[in-house]
Amino acid sequence: DIQLTQSPSTLSASVGDTVTITCRASQSISNWLAWYQQTPGKAPKVLVYKASALESGVPSRFSGSGSGTEFNLTISSLQPEDFVTYYCQHYYSYSWTFGQGTRVEIK
Amino acid sequence: EVQLLESGGNLVQPGGSLRLSCTASGFTFSHYAMNWVRQAPGKGLEWVSTISTTGGSTYYADSVKGRFTISRDNSRNTLSLSINNLRPEDTARYYCVKDGLRYCSGDCHFDYWGQGTLVTVSS
């Protein structure tokens, strides 16, 4: 089974900062990767799919990159509502795996 | 507007059974594979199961294989998850989740999520 490892587990930043979350796969997954955002008490929301495609309605300050085994989610100019938890997900060939999550907290 | 409404969660003793349901609206249900994802209290997301558009193909995480059964009724726009032999580690919020594209064959992200239904396994 493919494993996904996110880093860091917790990230401290300030409003207006640019931050990057990394997701590493245990083997190559091409670009079959999505990123989700979860606010406490709410269901996750997709931000990016196929590694770099921005979901409709998601602000352009979110961007995804990478292929193979290393992927990044970059949030430019952090807004107050962005201080929540983010998950990467691999999906391909009837296999679905989530990373353990990255919490973005206010410094 | 896409809506996914789960029901059926409850407090159950270890070894017990439950049937979770999800009623979908706002999209052509029969065109999309559907999924269950769970989240234990304070923990991360875990994919549980996926069913194809027709219901002819089903997939399960190793942790639930043999105990969980996913099914769907396209005439009623409903998705179900039957859970047997519940264990304390099955305690979680269970989300009904829609595939992001029509007619995917195991290569789709997820787009819409319900609000989840809580299953608690405890004596």
Side-chain angles (χ1 to χ4, degrees):
Chain A
D1 288 359
I2 293 171
Q3 309 299 321
L4 297 179
T5 303
Q6 288 182 232
S7 60
S9 295
T10 304
L11 190 160
S12 296
S14 302
V15 173
D17 285 354
T18 293
V19 299
T20 297
I21 299 167
T22 298
C23 179
R24 290 187 174 86
S26 57
Q27 64 190 74
S28 177
I29 58 172
S30 184
N31 62 349
W32 300 106
L33 191 100
W35 290 95
Y36 300 85
Q37 176 193 63
Q38 187 176 32
T39 300
K42 295 198 170 182
K45 167 188 167 185
V46 63
L47 301 173
V48 169
Y49 61 96
K50 253 191 168 181
S52 60
L54 197 67
E55 177 75 359
S56 175
V58 173
S60 59
R61 64 180 181 273
F62 293 93
S63 63
S65 63
S67 67
T69 61
E70 187 157 327
F71 302 85
N72 292 320
L73 174 71
T74 299
I75 312 171
S76 304
S77 186
L78 273 168
Q79 298 301 297
E81 61 268 29
D82 300 336
F83 291 88
V84 292
T85 301
Y86 297 85
Y87 295 92
C88 59
Q89 179 209 24
H90 158 64
Y91 57 95
Y92 184 69
S93 191
Y94 310 103
S95 171
W96 300 262
T97 307
F98 288 94
Q100 82 278 16
T102 294
R103 187 167 68 95
V104 178
E105 64 176 25
I106 298 177
K107 187 186 290 184
Chain B
E1 178 193 3
V2 171
Q3 291 194 348
L4 299 167
L5 185 62
E6 303 96 335
S7 60
N10 211 335
L11 171 61
V12 185
Q13 290 191 339
S17 299
L18 268 182
R19 184 178 178 88
L20 308 183
S21 295
C22 170
T23 301
S25 61
F27 64 102
T28 305
F29 184 71
S30 61
H31 290 182
Y32 293 85
M34 295 294 295
N35 314 274
W36 288 98
V37 175
R38 69 183 180 183
Q39 186 170 35
K43 302 296 184 183
L45 302 170
E46 180 187 14
W47 168 75
V48 172
S49 184
T50 293
I51 188 167
S52 64
T53 54
T54 63
S57 297
T58 57
Y59 309 90
Y60 300 94
D62 287 344
S63 58
V64 307
K65 206 171 289 184
R67 300 187 298 121
F68 288 24
T69 303
I70 191 172
S71 60
R72 65 189 296 162
D73 183 341
N74 286 344
S75 67
R76 296 187 174 190
N77 289 358
T78 58
L79 175 72
S80 298
L81 186 69
S82 294
I83 308 175
N84 296 318
N85 192 18
L86 276 157
R87 304 167 179 169
E89 56 265 35
D90 295 320
T91 294
R93 179 166 293 276
Y94 286 73
Y95 292 100
C96 168
V97 189
K98 172 184 166 291
D99 259 16
L101 298 170
R102 294 184 301 171
Y103 304 118
C104 276
S105 300
D107 55 359
C108 248
H109 65 290
F110 301 157
D111 58 3
Y112 287 93
W113 299 58
Q115 286 307 302
T117 187
L118 185 61
V119 173
T120 304
V121 185
S122 174
S123 54

